[in-house]
Amino acid sequence: MQFKKIAFFVISATLLFTGCDSKEEKKTEIEKKVIVEEQTKFSLTRADLQTITLEKTKDGMIFQGLEGKVVLLNFFATWCPPCKAEIPHLNNLKEKYKDKFEVVALDMGMKNGNLAPKEKIDSFINEYKINYIVTNSEENFKVADVMGGVSIIPTMYLFDTEGKTVQKYVGIVPEEMMESDIKKALGK
């Protein structure tokens, strides 16, 4: 009699737990994952109308044409006060580590579903005397997604000379902290 009760309980529990499984929900999660994983290569339009190609790897990002450099991927918007405040620091670091360091800034300031006009980006670059790469492309948002999503700007990722992610920064970061991380990424 005791065995029948235990067997009944085990069978009931098994049916209860397997009966609540939503295969449709799992299928949707798998489809979403496949969509994100399908695109690993991105061509971003720079402000100077050239393109820069990025390729997501399992442990970082490869920047075509910037191999061997430490790269700071900067998600920003032209209307963002902390983003504007960090520009002089990024300019200083770019100048200080000229041939060993590059900043690639991705404009995330889409308004009403439209990218900022080229003239606005050019004006912004001139006003703040930006000396690094600025991109204004719909692909910027796909890169943000593949990096795990960017919900706060500025958000930055630092990659070493091999393209491995070294550091993630959210919000404004002191120049000295970024410089220390750049030195580490350069092996100094």
Side-chain angles (χ1 to χ4, degrees):
M1 186 73 169
Q2 189 70 5
F3 177 74
K4 288 183 181 179
K5 286 182 181 178
I6 293 173
F8 176 76
F9 176 76
V10 170
I11 292 171
S12 297
T14 303
L15 290 174
L16 175 67
F17 290 116
T18 58
C20 294
D21 186 21
S22 173
K23 296 197 184 334
E24 190 61 40
E25 189 175 299
K26 282 188 178 182
K27 183 179 175 187
T28 304
E29 287 176 23
I30 291 169
E31 287 172 352
K32 285 180 185 176
K33 190 174 181 182
V34 168
I35 290 169
V36 170
E37 289 177 356
E38 279 179 13
Q39 186 171 359
T40 58
K41 209 168 197 178
F42 307 91
S43 290
L44 308 180
T45 304
R46 296 169 38 155
D48 61 7
L49 299 180
Q50 294 182 25
T51 59
I52 182 167
T53 302
L54 287 63
E55 185 171 355
K56 179 73 173 112
T57 64
K58 69 176 184 156
D59 57 356
M61 185 79 69
I62 302 296
F63 298 84
Q64 187 178 350
L66 301 176
E67 294 87 352
K69 289 187 177 187
V70 171
V71 177
L72 183 71
L73 190 61
N74 175 22
F75 295 93
F76 82 103
T78 58
W79 49 261
C80 165
C83 299
K84 292 175 185 178
E86 75 185 0
I87 292 171
H89 304 294
L90 298 178
N91 280 337
N92 289 341
L93 292 168
K94 172 66 175 133
E95 187 64 32
K96 190 169 187 175
Y97 296 95
K98 288 180 187 177
D99 299 327
K100 301 173 186 173
F101 173 69
E102 185 61 71
V103 177
V104 178
L106 285 71
D107 182 22
M108 302 298 288
M110 187 177 273
K111 203 171 204 176
N112 301 324
N114 297 313
L115 296 172
K118 180 176 174 7
E119 299 77 32
K120 182 175 181 171
I121 296 296
D122 290 342
S123 174
F124 183 80
I125 291 169
N126 290 332
E127 179 181 349
Y128 290 91
K129 298 175 179 42
I130 295 174
N131 64 359
Y132 49 84
I133 298 168
V134 176
T135 67
N136 184 30
S137 174
E138 287 187 25
E139 292 277 294
N140 291 4
F141 298 93
K142 294 177 184 176
V143 173
D145 288 343
V146 84
M147 292 304 295
V150 173
S151 57
I152 297 172
I153 52 173
T155 293
M156 299 179 284
Y157 292 87
L158 186 68
F159 301 90
D160 69 11
T161 56
E162 311 243 327
K164 292 181 183 165
T165 306
V166 175
Q167 188 63 265
K168 176 182 178 181
Y169 308 102
V170 177
I172 195 160
V173 179
E175 182 176 338
E176 297 79 16
M177 180 186 281
M178 285 189 283
E179 184 169 14
S180 174
D181 291 337
I182 291 167
K183 286 179 181 177
K184 287 177 192 170
L186 287 169
K188 294 183 177 183

